[in-house]
Amino acid sequence: MIQVYTGNGKGKTTAAIGQAIRALGHNWKVLMIQFMKGDEYGEINTLKNISNITVKQFGLKTFVKKGEPKPEDIKLAREGWQLAKEAIAGRKYDMIILDELNCALDYGLLDIKEILPVLVSAPRDLEIIITGRYAPEELIKIADLVSEVKEIKHPLTKGVVNRIGIDY
């Protein structure tokens, strides 16, 4: 099945990791591919120490500028998508998380026309979880589960900067 976690609120990646933890509790093999992320996040440090989950990052440590991605940003996103296609076809994993794929699509690093055929033809017993703001309507249509995380209030609006252990 295909799950999509989208919206402007905090917690989409966290929800996907929660699903992974649940799956790992049943000895599933999980692959998490992160698009547009290349920094060292607390959750990634933890996941690296857990068996049966593989995490691969395909992004720089800097932010991607919307409308003006660097060639390296596009190259990394394409490498991440290539790995995703191979993993989906290879049937080595029970769950594949495509973290921030929606953002990679929205920022023009990848094309939804390349993504949809792979997702539609994926094995039905493979759980695919896609996160990120701005999920395209075409993806929402083919998904089996779509959850929108809506921001109601955020400390950033009060000037509280990202906090270690909470925001990264």
Side-chain angles (χ1 to χ4, degrees):
M1 290 200 170
I2 298 172
Q3 299 182 32
V4 174
Y5 295 92
T6 193
N8 68 345
K10 178 178 169 15
K12 298 172 290 292
T13 297
T14 306
I17 291 172
Q19 288 285 5
I21 297 296
R22 180 175 283 164
L24 291 168
H26 294 282
N27 293 319
W28 285 25
K29 290 195 71 165
V30 179
L31 171 64
M32 181 175 189
I33 298 172
Q34 291 193 306
F35 295 91
M36 300 174 63
K37 288 183 177 177
D39 214 346
E40 201 169 295
Y41 299 94
E43 66 270 23
I44 303 309
N45 293 337
T46 298
L47 293 175
K48 286 179 182 175
N49 295 313
I50 299 174
S51 61
N52 278 356
I53 186 164
T54 302
V55 179
K56 299 286 185 178
Q57 292 183 310
F58 293 91
L60 301 173
K61 290 185 178 187
T62 58
F63 287 104
V64 178
K65 187 169 183 183
K66 191 169 185 176
E68 297 179 34
K70 297 174 188 165
E72 184 71 6
D73 294 319
I74 295 169
K75 177 181 173 281
L76 287 168
R78 292 183 193 273
E79 288 174 7
W81 178 242
Q82 183 61 38
L83 175 61
K85 289 191 305 188
E86 291 168 7
I88 290 168
R91 301 188 65 108
K92 180 179 171 187
Y93 298 95
D94 303 296
M95 176 183 285
I96 298 174
I97 298 170
L98 303 174
D99 186 43
E100 302 297 353
L101 176 63
N102 294 333
C103 290
L105 290 165
D106 184 58
Y107 277 55
L109 305 180
L110 297 169
D111 186 343
I112 189 68
K113 291 180 184 91
E114 292 179 45
I115 307 298
L116 287 177
V118 175
L119 296 177
V120 169
S121 64
R124 291 302 291 170
D125 61 345
L126 172 62
E127 204 71 24
I128 299 175
I129 299 176
I130 300 167
T131 71
R133 296 171 183 237
Y134 318 117
E137 194 58 41
E138 302 95 324
L139 181 57
I140 290 171
K141 283 182 184 177
I142 66 160
D144 300 290
L145 178 149
V146 179
S147 290
E148 181 178 8
V149 181
K150 181 179 175 185
E151 180 179 313
I152 305 296
K153 192 175 187 180
H154 197 290
L156 191 60
T157 61
K158 295 180 185 176
V160 177
V161 295
N162 288 340
R163 297 172 296 151
I164 294 174
I166 300 298
D167 298 310
Y168 67 96

